[in-house]
Each structure stands twice: as structure tokens, then as C-alpha cells.
Amino acid sequence: MVAGKNPPEAGVSGEVHQDRFVGGQDLTRWDTKPGQLLASAVQRISRLLGSHAALVLTLAVGAALAVALAAIFAEVYESVVEADGVAGLDHPVLDGAKTLRSPVLDTVITGYTDVGGTVGMPVLALAIMIGLALRRRSWTPVILMLVAGLGSLSMTIAGKELVGRTRPDLADAVPPYEYSASFPSGHSLNSVVIAGIVAYLIILRLKSARARVLAGVAAGVFAATMGLSRVYLGHHWLTDVLGAWALGAAWLALVVTAHRLYLTTRVHPA
């Protein structure tokens, strides 16, 4: 240890003192009446069950809302597709993507999209989750990342079952081929949620505004390029990706709100 320097706070102390403020914004302050009522309710639950239990319960309720949101969104999405609307972009965008393909680029982008697949993304998320949990000596990153990932997976499954949209023709796709339903794009949804929650957890401990912006931009670029890679490879329609981004952003907002409520119970016990 370097003389004169104290190690970063960890555990509950670190969460209370380092995660509370982002760029001068107090995450435990609720300025709207609905927010104050919600915070008050979670504080009462925390008093009975403990802060982590209150966080888990809040996230569980949020997950149920997220699946309901996926069901509602699927109905709206199906109506939009049937009436053409934004779905009219699907074929032109796919045709444009096909003109960009080359054997080398196909290989590179296939390797990249595998990072966001059913094997790559869980392994990446698990490694980051363990690293954050050990560094902070806290269960909070584990809870947030597990629930965020399980929620996005549930939304993906619900959306695919409800819509059952067919993927682009195999003749228009780059192998290896995929055969599950097309909407929503799981790669796109999961990349928004996982990259978003990782960026959020990192931003909480960054002191520089520039560093916070860079972390947010990095997460956004990862999610955007992961989604667009699915269109390039012909594995999804553009609207599958756009819908997944919207669902992922909504679920991410719910998870971040749940964490704010958790911090509120730590800083302002009922």
C-alpha cells in the first residue's frame, strides 16, 4: 500500500459513500411525488426484510413488469409489422447490408457477434460480475447483473413465443444459421442490458465526467454494433433489433431505479 493513500471503501460503506452521487446528482433524492411514494414503500420493506432483500423483491416485481411490457410491446410490434410501417425498412436495409459483405468481414463480424451469443455473453458477464463483486466486497453487483440478465432472457423468450416471427431467408444469411423466432433479437436485447448495467456500476465509482461519458459511450457503441451485426449477417430484421433495443432500455431503466431505491434504504433508513 502506498503511504498516505487509503484503499477504496468497499462493502456497505463504499456503496453509501461512493455510489450515491453521480456528477453531483444524489441518486437517493426523489423529487417527484410518485418517486417519493415508491421510495417510502421500499424503505418500509427494507426495515422488515433488510436492504438486500428489499432490492431482490423490487427487482422481482420489476421483472414481472418487464415480461408484461414484453407482451404488450409484442402486440404493438405485430400490429406495426402487419401494417408495414417501420417494417418497410427491413428488406432495403438487409439488401444494403448484403452489398457490404466479404469473406473476411463476414468472419470478423461472426466472431464479434459470438461475444453476444448464448455462450459468449454469459461468460463475459460472469467474469465482470465476479470482478466487481470482489473489488467492492459486495453482493450488489451480483444481484443486479444476475437479475438484469435473467430479466432480459425472460423478455427475449416471451417476445419470441408471442410473435413467432420468421427470420430472413437462409439464402440471405451468413452461416452458421439460426432457427429460433426472429423477434426480438436476443443479442441486441442482452447487449443493451448487460453493457448498460456494467457501465452503470462502473460510472458510479468514476470521479471524472469525461471518464463517465467514455464508459457510457463504450457501452452504447457495444450495444449498437452488436445489434447491427445481426442485420449485417442476415440473422435478424432491422425491426427485430430496434424492438430489442427499446425493450432492453426499458428493463435497464427498471434495474437502475431498483438500485437507486436500494441506495435510498441504505442512506435514509425508514
Side-chain angles (χ1 to χ4, degrees):
M1 183 183 299
V2 179
K5 289 188 177 182
N6 296 321
E9 291 182 282
V12 173
S13 177
E15 291 174 347
V16 169
H17 296 108
Q18 296 188 63
D19 292 350
R20 178 178 174 181
F21 296 97
V22 176
Q25 175 67 39
D26 186 351
L27 298 182
T28 69
R29 178 178 175 179
W30 302 84
D31 295 325
T32 65
K33 191 64 175 178
Q36 291 167 2
L37 291 173
L38 183 60
S40 178
V42 174
Q43 283 172 319
R44 287 195 291 271
I45 295 172
S46 174
R47 183 175 59 188
L48 295 173
L49 304 177
S51 293
H52 274 117
L55 173 62
V56 171
L57 181 60
T58 304
L59 286 168
V61 173
L65 291 173
V67 173
L69 174 66
I72 295 170
F73 192 92
E75 291 297 325
V76 174
Y77 171 86
E78 197 167 17
S79 299
V80 170
V81 170
E82 288 176 354
D84 204 14
V86 71
L89 296 173
D90 283 337
H91 287 282
V93 170
L94 177 59
D95 290 340
K98 287 164 61 179
T99 65
L100 301 175
R101 291 176 184 169
S102 69
V104 173
L105 193 56
D106 291 354
T107 300
V108 170
I109 293 183
T110 295
Y112 178 68
T113 199
D114 286 344
V115 174
T118 54
V119 175
M121 184 61 78
V123 170
L124 180 63
L126 182 63
I128 295 173
M129 180 184 72
I130 292 173
L132 287 173
L134 290 175
R135 179 173 177 77
R136 293 172 177 234
R137 297 202 295 275
S138 167
W139 285 103
T140 302
V142 176
I143 294 171
L144 289 178
M145 292 192 66
L146 279 180
V147 176
L150 290 173
S152 65
L153 177 61
S154 299
M155 294 172 75
T156 301
I157 293 172
K160 288 182 182 295
E161 288 292 327
L162 288 166
V163 177
R165 190 186 192 191
T166 304
R167 291 178 185 262
D169 291 339
L170 294 184
D172 293 326
V174 175
Y177 304 119
E178 299 182 23
Y179 301 94
S180 62
S182 191
F183 176 85
S185 164
H187 284 67
S188 305
L189 203 163
N190 292 328
S191 63
V192 167
V193 173
I194 299 302
I197 198 63
V198 169
Y200 171 70
L201 288 169
I202 291 174
I203 285 171
L204 289 175
R205 298 293 172 99
L206 294 176
K207 304 303 180 185
S208 162
R210 181 172 180 271
R212 290 194 295 268
V213 169
L214 288 175
V217 168
V221 168
F222 176 76
T225 53
M226 186 59 66
L228 294 176
S229 74
R230 307 302 290 161
V231 178
Y232 170 89
L233 295 171
H235 294 166
H236 283 284
W237 302 105
L238 174 65
T239 46
D240 299 332
V241 172
L242 295 177
W245 283 342
L247 286 171
W251 175 228
L252 179 62
L254 283 172
V255 175
V256 169
T257 299
H259 184 247
R260 286 189 61 195
L261 290 167
Y262 164 75
L263 288 175
T264 302
T265 66
R266 287 294 195 191
V267 176
H268 309 291

